[in-house]
Amino acid sequence: MVVRTADPAAEAALEPHVDGFTRADDPRVRHVSDASVTAAAATLDEPGAVVLARPGVLVEAGPGWFARVTEAATPTAPAPGLRDAGRDPRRWPAWVWALLVGLGMIGGGLGAAAITLGPVLLRYDRDYLGMTLHDLHAANHHLVHFLQHDRITMAGTMVSIGALYTGLAVGGIRRGWPWARETYLLSGAIGFPTLFYFLVTGFVEPLHTATTLVLFPMFVAAVRRRPHTPRRNPMPEGPERERRRALVGQLLLIVTGAGLFVGGAVISTVGLTGVFVPTDLVFLGADTQTLEAVNPRLVPFVAHDRAGFGGALMSAAVAITLLSAWGWRRGESWVFWTLSTAAAFGFLPAVVVHAAIHYTDFLHLAPVYVGIATTATGLLLARPYLCAPRTAASGKGVRTPGAGGSSRRRAPRSAGAG
């Protein structure tokens, strides 16, 4: 905070509480006249400079301008690789643990898909229900397909979360982005507690429980420390038209993420209460009472899958929303590919399995179609910006620790009155 005043008494009173003082004719004051991150960062290199950005600049620049300028003016170091982590798990950095959780989620999702497309029910499922797959089919010839559609959708969401965590670990946490850790932390803080949905549904799935118990300590190890050393290489903003199209894409991805979170909350609520939506009962050709009459444990069994899917969807939605809100930077192609991979595994299995079992009610699938449209449009608009190629000139603004002027560099501040 910089105060403009010519009163020595005011300066003496405010000195402990502000960063500095300036006068109307102070030659140190530099007014930023456009939204160029590169120009603002270069201005910060001047020793003792006070950089003022007026609201008009911030409106033109879009979200996150201060953060991007500060990042471009911050000394950086090379990003570490797997070899730098060493073989002793006690010394592994946070990003390695985050990567292991992401890979574990991908493996868990693929395993769940294999089970669903193969035996469908494991031994503990059959023991809980007291029914075999043949018994379920005999009770209702749509029931097995209904279970498969819930579980394939859940498996795709697990792989989607794994892709998001892998991208955040390698592209974000490894390179010292503080927001990547926060995104990872908030997403996991929503996803892991959904294990306790069994307190409502009454069905404890051993494989789900075991996976959570293995991955949760790794998750804690990944978030226990904040990244300190910046290890990134910001790029110039590039063509203005490209940047503005990317801002529209960013908005679409944030809206998609928020919509997915609402959808996940609704699915969890339904799974923990009524379990079925009207279109489910139309597909099954039976009401809840009929299914309960077949087997009193059948509805809680379905509720476990449905509520768990809702919790996983909320976890993925938080990661998508925050990655889109905080990670939108030119040349960060990992953001584009992380979101694209997550979208592919999140949306496509849901569409394919519904078509395969002929559960194609348009209103039931409308949110999926809208999500695919907004995600695809947003990513196409942002692709030239996020995937801009890095050239030799792109790294000119990157500084290593000890570079001249770095010790006196301070973040820019906004001043509406100039």
Side-chain angles (χ1 to χ4, degrees):
M1 179 177 291
V2 178
V3 177
R4 185 173 66 179
T5 178
D7 183 357
E11 290 188 11
L14 294 173
E15 185 173 8
H17 309 292
V18 300
D19 296 310
F21 300 92
T22 184
R23 293 178 171 81
D25 56 349
D26 193 332
R28 298 176 302 158
V29 176
R30 300 289 186 272
H31 289 278
V32 176
S33 58
D34 59 50
S36 171
V37 169
T38 306
T43 304
L44 285 175
D45 275 335
E46 301 177 21
V50 177
V51 180
L52 300 180
R54 300 193 180 195
V57 172
L58 305 182
V59 171
E60 179 187 354
W65 185 82
F66 280 113
R68 285 181 280 130
V69 172
T70 304
E71 289 160 4
T74 300
T76 64
L82 276 175
R83 291 185 177 180
D84 299 318
R87 296 184 179 182
D88 186 354
R90 295 172 298 177
R91 299 182 181 276
W92 283 353
W95 72 269
V96 173
W97 292 110
L99 173 61
L100 289 176
V101 175
L103 296 177
M105 290 294 295
I106 292 173
L110 294 176
I115 292 170
T116 304
L117 296 175
V120 183
L121 300 179
L122 296 178
R123 186 174 68 178
Y124 58 76
D125 295 322
R126 297 192 295 270
D127 291 343
Y128 175 79
L129 290 172
M131 301 176 72
T132 65
L133 202 63
H134 178 74
D135 295 333
L136 290 176
H137 188 74
N140 184 310
H141 63 282
H142 289 302
L143 191 54
V144 174
H145 287 161
F146 186 82
L147 292 175
Q148 287 179 310
H149 113 278
D150 262 358
R151 292 188 167 193
I152 283 291
T153 308
M154 173 67 170
T157 304
M158 289 177 64
V159 176
S160 178
I161 294 172
L164 290 163
Y165 286 4
T166 300
L168 287 168
V170 177
I173 299 173
R174 181 178 69 97
R175 296 168 60 210
W177 294 111
W179 54 262
R181 173 192 174 273
E182 293 169 11
T183 299
Y184 181 88
L185 171 61
L186 292 172
S187 173
I190 289 175
F192 280 105
T194 59
L195 171 68
F196 296 100
Y197 280 173
F198 76 86
L199 296 174
V200 178
T201 64
F203 173 57
V204 181
E205 185 181 47
L207 191 58
H208 181 190
T209 304
T211 302
T212 302
L213 292 177
V214 169
L215 295 182
F216 184 70
M218 299 181 189
F219 172 78
V220 173
V223 299
R224 72 178 189 271
R225 287 194 299 265
R226 295 177 180 271
H228 296 293
T229 305
R231 300 177 183 274
R232 57 249 183 181
N233 186 357
M235 289 180 61
E237 290 296 277
E240 180 65 10
R241 178 179 174 82
E242 175 187 276
R243 187 181 71 86
R244 288 190 176 273
R245 285 166 60 92
L247 285 177
V248 177
Q250 180 186 31
L251 177 61
L252 289 173
L253 265 296
I254 292 173
V255 169
T256 301
L260 290 173
F261 186 86
V262 172
V266 170
I267 293 170
S268 284
T269 302
V270 170
L272 296 173
T273 55
V275 183
F276 301 102
V277 296
T279 54
D280 295 336
L281 299 176
V282 171
F283 173 76
L284 289 170
D287 55 23
T288 305
Q289 291 73 24
T290 302
L291 296 174
E292 289 175 338
V294 171
N295 187 330
R297 290 187 168 185
L298 187 56
V299 173
F301 184 77
V302 175
H304 167 269
D305 291 348
R306 178 142 296 187
F309 166 57
L313 188 58
M314 287 193 291
S315 178
V318 168
I320 291 168
T321 303
L322 297 183
L323 175 58
S324 301
W326 294 340
W328 226 246
R329 287 162 178 79
R330 187 167 186 261
E332 298 293 330
S333 59
W334 70 271
V335 174
F336 175 85
W337 292 113
T338 297
L339 290 171
S340 298
T341 304
F345 282 101
F347 287 126
L348 293 183
V351 173
V352 171
V353 73
H354 279 84
I357 68 172
H358 306 292
Y359 186 0
T360 55
D361 183 89
F362 179 78
L363 291 179
H364 181 75
L365 290 172
V368 179
Y369 298 145
V370 172
I372 292 173
T374 55
T375 301
T377 303
L379 289 174
L380 286 174
L381 288 172
R383 188 179 187 279
Y385 179 79
L386 294 175
C387 297
R390 292 187 176 274
T391 62
S394 300
K396 288 183 177 179
V398 179
R399 303 162 183 78
T400 56
S406 64
S407 63
R408 302 187 63 181
R409 193 174 293 117
R410 64 174 66 188
R413 310 290 181 182
S414 67

